[in-house]
Amino acid sequence: MRIGEVAEKAGVSVRALRYYEEQDLLHSERSSGGQRHYPGTAVDRVRLIQQLYAAGLPSRTVREVLPCVDLGEVTRALLDRLAAERDRIDRRITDLLTVRDRLDDVIAIARKPGPGCTHVP
């Protein structure tokens, strides 16, 4: 698959794919004309990379995780780091839920203001 096809199907920019290659997260072969060609698995790989980045993992951790996904093997050190990342994500989720609940309270008060609280047009 050519770079534009992978970018379109994965919903990322061509620039992002080039960056992933620079970070050694994604690999392509070059045609005799120098065009990048990706395997059929590239779209799923890019989606996984996107998910790992969205979770807040840095490139170096993503680079370590991908071979584990491919081979089904993980080192103890990486497993410990991933567990710490999962704990960080759980804390972030808890924080976001708390903020959402507080916003719900503000919205409820704004919809039905009590004495001394009025809407401002």
Side-chain angles (χ1 to χ4, degrees), residues 38-84:
Y38 295 90
T41 58
V43 173
D44 287 337
R45 179 73 153 214
V46 170
R47 288 181 180 149
L48 174 59
I49 292 167
Q50 289 281 293
Q51 290 171 334
L52 295 171
Y53 275 141
L57 298 178
S59 293
R60 90 179 136 67
T61 301
V62 174
R63 191 177 312 106
E64 290 179 61
V65 168
L66 292 175
C68 298
V69 171
D70 295 339
L71 303 173
E73 299 173 4
V74 64
T75 65
R76 183 69 188 167
L78 180 58
L79 186 59
D80 291 344
R81 190 164 350 126
L82 292 176

Side-chain angles (χ1 to χ4, degrees), residues 81-96:
R81 190 164 350 126
L82 292 176
E85 287 292 343
R86 187 180 192 291
D87 291 344
R88 182 191 59 77
I89 291 167
D90 282 343
R91 285 190 303 275
R92 182 71 176 134
I93 289 169
T94 300
D95 292 345
L96 288 170

Side-chain angles (χ1 to χ4, degrees), residues 28 30-31 37 50 63 95 105 110-111:
S28 67
R30 297 288 184 135
S31 69
H37 289 277
Q50 289 281 293
R63 191 177 312 106
D95 292 345
D105 293 343
R111 286 193 173 139

